[in-house]
Amino acid sequence: MKIDRPLILISNDDGVNAKGIQELIDSLRGIADLFVMAPDGPRSGKSCAMTSECPVRYSLVSKDDEVTVCQCTGTPVDCIKLALDIMPKRPDLVIGGINHGDNSSVNVHYSGTMGVVIEGCLKGIPSIGFSLCDHAADADFTPMLPYVKQIVAEVLSHGLPEGVCLNVNAPLASSFQGVRICRQAKGVWRNEWLECSHPRGGEYFWLTGNYHPLEPEAEDTDHWALENGYIAITPTQIDMTAYRMMDDLKHWNFSV
Amino acid sequence: MKIDRPLILISNDDGVNAKGIQELIDSLRGIADLFVMAPDGPRSGKSCAMTSECPVRYSLVSKDDEVTVCQCTGTPVDCIKLALDIMPKRPDLVIGGINHGDNSSVNVHYSGTMGVVIEGCLKGIPSIGFSLCDHAADADFTPMLPYVKQIVAEVLSHGLPEGVCLNVNAPLASSFQGVRICRQAKGVWRNEWLECSHPRGGEYFWLTGNYHPLEPEAEDTDHWALENGYIAITPTQIDMTAYRMMDDLKHWNFSV
């Protein structure tokens, strides 16, 4: 570990062997020391879930002067909590990704990648999630990597306000129109279940669905940016208070 | 099912047999038709996780004229998604709880109870989470129940704005100072891992920890309300955009 270089904690929800996290590691190697604690298999859609009903284990996968890689039996959030407990010093940055798939709009709530990022943010560390709108295991992250490095450099230089992290999504494209600063688009998932019959009787259901944008024309959203070839940066906060509702509620009748 | 009564969808993260959800059902029986789809066992800390790697099943537990109870193999969010798929009509309200344990402050991010509520809100349905600050399996929900009924009545009467749900937490007390409308307190979990040695070698880790308030004197927070004997209602929104950060970010250098 080099004294004057930043230390970055990396995790994801596709598992330690996913192409996206490997390309992220290769891309940042040389500009920071990297500590990777990633799930030992897929944990897509795990949100900020943590493991309370069974214990969690981790093991060392590889280690050189610049990069330490561990795998963990837990969720993405477990990975960050555990890494922060065992790392030799506090990281300068937490990164989730690069995710195979879109984490814009309402997907921020379901995403294990953003679970990583929200956990880093809850611990007071600048945190960024990177996602590419391509679920394929062999997705091509190459066009996105220069932007990943530039966004990392900017966050290391400027920091981020307390309680704010970044949700960065790139469209599936060979080149981009540029970067747009966005708000979280409104949208809803529909037709979410595929019903199947078991050969010995009974039904089971696979979670699937179609994303339906509720404001497709709104040019300030992350969904619009992605649909129009831009990388979307959505600043995201851990304070979920609906401040605009507080005064109204004070006039409701809650006496019993 | 009676035509003129509201229909409420109920779930939780402590499982269908938990005392909290049973007391909620008993409390609301008679003022609404209830459809319960709850996990078949504990799912604490499951956040907005959904099940993508394996299929989900459900089965009918009981049914009478007013209350249908199903159990589900999935997460709290799966329960809501599946219930909305199979219910005879769209519910007027989604309720998560009553949770055994505190879901105020940053716990909103980890809570499976609030996963229920956020999923209801994402689907455009008024949604409320109820939690009691007592993890005990035999926690006494009695003092809280009149408030639960009153809050449900108010939400059924007024509705909730699009994208806003309520996170309601009650302190462990035999009576309350009243109700306060609050913002989400800042706080952080510390000392989160208990390391144990396996008899055949190797370490494993249990998730535990202490909640540390970062602004214990702030009287407008849910944490303060609970510490001072009040029921805390925290209006909570699904838009996590950090709007205050957007203009700053537009001046950063993201060109590559």
Side-chain angles (χ1 to χ4, degrees):
Chain A
M1 193 174 293
K2 294 176 183 169
I3 295 295
D4 56 343
R5 289 210 305 187
L7 174 61
I8 301 178
L9 170 58
I10 293 174
S11 191
N12 73 346
D13 71 358
D14 294 313
V16 69
N17 293 319
K19 187 178 178 191
I21 196 170
Q22 293 298 331
E23 297 233 347
L24 179 68
I25 293 167
D26 292 345
S27 176
L28 298 180
R29 179 188 282 275
I31 64 172
D33 291 318
L34 308 178
F35 190 98
V36 180
M37 175 74 80
D40 57 10
R43 303 287 191 281
S44 285
K46 285 289 175 282
S47 185
C48 290
M50 49 191 196
T51 303
S52 57
E53 303 296 325
C54 65
V56 171
R57 292 178 169 81
Y58 77 97
S59 59
L60 184 67
V61 175
S62 66
K63 183 172 168 53
D64 60 35
D65 280 355
E66 299 175 359
V67 182
T68 300
V69 179
C70 298
Q71 63 181 8
C72 174
T73 59
T75 66
V77 160
D78 293 336
C79 288
I80 298 306
K81 289 184 182 294
L82 193 53
L84 293 176
D85 199 61
I86 66 171
M87 286 174 77
K89 74 182 188 83
R90 185 173 164 88
D92 301 288
L93 186 64
V94 170
I95 301 181
I98 302 172
N99 188 60
H100 295 241
D102 182 356
N103 281 323
S104 69
S105 181
V106 295
N107 301 320
V108 66
H109 290 287
Y110 305 116
S111 165
T113 301
M114 287 308 294
V116 164
V117 175
I118 290 167
E119 182 62 26
C121 191
L122 284 166
K123 289 294 190 285
I125 304 166
S127 301
I128 317 171
F130 291 108
S131 305
L132 176 66
C133 295
D134 185 355
H135 279 98
D138 66 344
D140 181 10
F141 295 90
T142 317
M144 187 180 181
L145 294 176
Y147 291 92
V148 169
K149 285 200 274 193
Q150 181 61 19
I151 293 166
V152 166
E154 285 291 282
V155 171
L156 285 172
S157 165
H158 294 283
L160 286 171
E162 178 195 333
V164 175
C165 53
L166 300 185
N167 181 11
V168 180
N169 289 272
L172 176 52
S174 56
S175 67
F176 307 112
Q177 298 296 317
V179 169
R180 282 176 75 95
I181 310 304
C182 306
R183 65 176 172 86
Q184 177 189 320
K186 296 175 186 169
V188 67
W189 282 88
R190 294 180 178 167
N191 306 313
E192 292 190 278
W193 295 102
L194 176 66
E195 184 174 348
C196 304
S197 291
H198 193 280
R200 289 189 294 275
E203 284 72 46
Y204 60 93
F205 298 82
W206 286 105
L207 190 58
T208 170
N210 317 110
Y211 174 79
H212 180 79
L214 291 176
E215 42 176 3
E217 308 301 326
E219 298 188 6
D220 58 345
T221 68
D222 46 13
H223 180 77
W224 188 95
L226 293 168
E227 289 288 303
N228 287 273
Y230 293 89
I231 290 179
I233 302 183
T234 311
T236 299
Q237 64 184 30
I238 55 179
D239 181 359
M240 295 179 69
T241 309
Y243 288 95
R244 64 193 164 111
M245 179 67 182
M246 290 179 74
D247 280 344
D248 281 350
L249 280 175
K250 285 174 184 170
H251 295 98
W252 290 22
N253 175 21
F254 296 119
S255 57
V256 298
Chain B
M1 190 173 294
K2 294 176 186 170
I3 296 293
D4 56 342
R5 289 209 306 185
L7 174 61
I8 301 179
L9 169 58
I10 293 174
S11 190
N12 74 345
D13 70 358
D14 293 314
V16 69
N17 293 318
K19 188 179 179 191
I21 196 169
Q22 293 297 332
E23 299 234 344
L24 179 67
I25 293 166
D26 292 344
S27 177
L28 298 180
R29 179 189 282 275
I31 63 172
D33 291 317
L34 308 179
F35 190 99
V36 181
M37 175 73 80
D40 57 11
R43 305 283 193 282
S44 284
K46 285 290 175 280
S47 185
C48 290
M50 49 192 197
T51 302
S52 56
E53 304 296 326
C54 65
V56 171
R57 291 176 169 81
Y58 77 97
S59 59
L60 183 68
V61 174
S62 65
K63 182 170 168 57
D64 61 34
D65 280 353
E66 298 176 1
V67 182
T68 300
V69 179
C70 299
Q71 62 181 9
C72 174
T73 59
T75 65
V77 160
D78 293 335
C79 288
I80 298 307
K81 289 182 183 293
L82 193 52
L84 293 177
D85 199 60
I86 66 170
M87 287 174 76
K89 72 181 188 89
R90 186 173 164 89
D92 301 288
L93 186 64
V94 170
I95 301 182
I98 303 173
N99 189 60
H100 296 240
D102 181 358
N103 281 323
S104 69
S105 182
V106 296
N107 300 321
V108 66
H109 290 288
Y110 304 118
S111 164
T113 300
M114 287 306 295
V116 164
V117 176
I118 290 167
E119 183 61 26
C121 192
L122 285 167
K123 289 294 190 283
I125 304 165
S127 300
I128 317 170
F130 290 108
S131 304
L132 177 66
C133 295
D134 185 355
H135 280 98
D138 67 345
D140 181 10
F141 295 91
T142 316
M144 186 180 182
L145 294 176
Y147 291 91
V148 169
K149 285 199 273 193
Q150 181 62 20
I151 293 166
V152 166
E154 285 290 282
V155 171
L156 285 173
S157 166
H158 294 283
L160 286 172
E162 178 195 330
V164 175
C165 53
L166 299 185
N167 182 11
V168 180
N169 289 272
L172 176 52
S174 57
S175 67
F176 307 113
Q177 297 296 315
V179 169
R180 283 176 75 95
I181 310 304
C182 306
R183 67 175 172 88
Q184 176 188 320
K186 295 175 186 171
V188 66
W189 282 88
R190 294 178 177 167
N191 306 314
E192 293 189 277
W193 295 102
L194 176 66
E195 183 174 348
C196 304
S197 291
H198 193 279
R200 290 190 294 274
E203 285 73 46
Y204 60 92
F205 298 81
W206 285 104
L207 191 58
T208 171
N210 317 110
Y211 173 79
H212 179 79
L214 291 175
E215 43 177 0
E217 308 301 325
E219 297 187 5
D220 58 347
T221 69
D222 46 13
H223 180 77
W224 188 94
L226 293 168
E227 289 289 302
N228 288 273
Y230 293 90
I231 290 179
I233 301 183
T234 310
T236 299
Q237 64 184 30
I238 54 179
D239 181 359
M240 296 180 68
T241 308
Y243 288 96
R244 63 192 164 112
M245 180 66 182
M246 290 180 74
D247 281 344
D248 282 351
L249 280 175
K250 287 175 182 169
H251 295 98
W252 290 22
N253 175 22
F254 294 121
S255 56
V256 299

